[in-house]
Amino acid sequence: MVWPGALLANRIEPFVLGLPFFIFWYILWMFILFLGTWIAYMKIEGGGVNE
């Protein structure tokens, strides 16, 4: 969603949390992708518990 979303979010205003909207959009998707990767890892590895 960074590249295709950049076409929709390519604007400075409104400011979100003091950041231009495009920077906020980029950080939001990086956080969402991190969470998705972490959840997939925990699901595959069994929650990180050594068996």
Side-chain angles (χ1 to χ4, degrees), residues 15-33:
F15 285 92
V16 180
L17 301 174
L19 298 170
F21 185 70
F22 180 72
I23 302 298
F24 171 75
W25 179 267
Y26 184 78
I27 292 171
L28 175 69
W29 277 104
M30 290 300 109
F31 183 70
I32 289 170
L33 292 173

Side-chain angles (χ1 to χ4, degrees), residues 3-17:
W3 178 76
L7 298 175
L8 300 172
N10 191 15
R11 56 189 98 247
I12 294 174
E13 293 183 357
F15 285 92
V16 180
L17 301 174

